Amino acid sequence: MGGRAIGRGSVGGAGLLFVPLLVGAVLALGAHGLGAQGATATGVPAGSAPATNPAAVTSPAATAVTSPAATVTAAVSSAAAAAAAAPAVRSAAATTGARQTAADAAAAYAVRAGWQTGIAIVDLRTGQITTAGAATTHFPAESTIKLLLAAHLLAAGEMTGDVAAAAHAMVVASDDDAANALYELAGGDGVGAWAAARYGVPALAALAGPVNGPGQWGSLPVSALGMAQFLAAAADDPAVGPWLTATMAQLEPIAADGTDQRFGIKAAAPEAAVKQGWGGDVPGLDAEGTPSIGYVDGRYAVAIYTLHAPAVDQAGAQAMVTAQARLLLPGGHVPAL
């Protein structure tokens, strides 16, 4: 879900806390963006709902959305410097072939329908990175941030007793009450800077704090590439990987708030270990996003972040990310290079 004790669309609700930073300088489309390859992808996955506004085709590179908070960059300078000095966890490399084609098709499908999206895949064995769409642009983390909170608890040796029980519920049932109770112990607003330093993923340093203010964790800004790199690094962390991957594999079909979690990557690859998110944590903007991230085939870290403004209903948002996941993971697997 979204931010701390907040439900969507109201002052006390999931909160409109963040707008993606689709400013020209921030928008990096990876090795292949939505160019010729992306524009030619027209297929709709079997069993997927039609995309919203299919006639609206907008290149993300031509979209300019102003950041609502200068603090997103101003408050991260020291953390970014520390993260940049750390060794890179995975080195980016251009990819071609079936995997890139699938990623481009998944991104183009959403963009054609008027959505903003970023997609990233990291091969845990080789370090190969595949990106599509706005893979380095920031989106609201929603409940995917709970994985960083769990990683912090594990690394700090806090995952015992009641804390462990709450953390389990926070991940498998996306329990917001559990996340709220653990938030400060699990790194709080500094959890992004902590993860950037621990794992050498500079992209995570941008998580200087929630855009909508302290404690509003759903509005922490993340990118698809940054989160895929985090998943890859965390899987290799002996203090974090075993618990995190095993717990993500235990995803409950219905979340603590009653939301069906069988969308996105989980719908396309039922055996995947995933963490889902949903909400509209964008300040001053009516929006809806349903990020879906996780481990596929026991080898790949996959992240899909997709957002629509104005907001669509949750079912429509889930249908979009499910359609993307089925294009990205044909037959429920990451395609070969």
Side-chain angles (χ1 to χ4, degrees):
M1 290 179 66
R4 178 186 198 120
I6 285 192
R8 137 161 205 76
S10 65
V11 175
L16 306 175
L17 309 178
F18 182 78
V19 66
L21 307 181
L22 295 182
V23 200
V26 179
L27 180 58
L29 300 183
H32 290 255
L34 290 178
Q37 289 188 33
T40 60
T42 59
V44 178
S48 299
T52 308
N53 302 326
V57 183
T58 305
S59 169
T63 304
V65 179
T66 303
S67 167
T71 56
V72 172
T73 53
V76 302
S77 57
S78 60
V89 176
R90 298 286 186 260
S91 59
T95 61
T96 57
R99 188 177 305 166
Q100 187 65 57
T101 298
D104 287 338
Y109 179 78
V111 170
R112 186 179 301 108
W115 295 67
Q116 300 163 8
T117 189
I119 294 171
I121 301 173
V122 178
D123 187 328
L124 275 62
R125 297 182 190 172
T126 68
Q128 183 74 51
I129 293 174
T130 301
T131 62
T136 60
T137 292
H138 295 106
F139 291 80
E142 306 300 350
S143 283
T144 63
I145 201 64
K146 293 170 182 173
L147 297 182
L148 270 67
L149 299 177
H152 189 285
L153 292 170
L154 289 158
E158 299 283 358
M159 196 68 81
T160 60
D162 291 343
V163 169
H168 186 269
M170 175 179 72
V171 173
V172 303
S174 204
D175 190 318
D176 284 355
D177 290 339
N180 292 339
L182 296 173
Y183 190 63
E184 294 304 328
L185 180 65
D189 293 345
V191 71
W194 168 83
R198 181 175 180 88
Y199 295 117
V201 180
L204 295 179
L207 280 68
V211 173
N212 202 52
Q216 305 297 327
W217 45 260
S219 69
L220 281 157
V222 300
S223 68
L225 179 57
M227 289 300 282
Q229 290 177 312
F230 160 73
L231 287 176
D236 288 339
D237 186 341
V240 173
W243 187 96
L244 197 69
T245 56
T247 304
M248 290 170 65
Q250 299 171 38
L251 183 80
E252 294 182 2
I254 306 300
D257 72 347
T259 297
D260 192 325
Q261 298 197 91
R262 294 166 293 188
F263 64 87
I265 294 172
K266 195 65 176 178
E271 301 304 313
V274 306
K275 182 72 195 79
Q276 313 284 42
W278 52 92
D281 291 308
V282 181
L285 182 66
D286 184 28
E288 179 71 25
T290 47
S292 184
I293 70 176
Y295 299 102
V296 178
D297 296 333
R299 174 173 175 171
Y300 302 98
V302 180
I304 306 172
Y305 283 84
T306 301
L307 184 79
H308 194 278
V312 300
D313 59 56
Q314 188 178 92
Q318 289 185 346
M320 170 53 71
V321 75
T322 295
Q324 287 184 278
R326 286 177 173 152
L327 286 166
L328 183 65
L329 307 170
H333 302 285
V334 172
L337 286 176

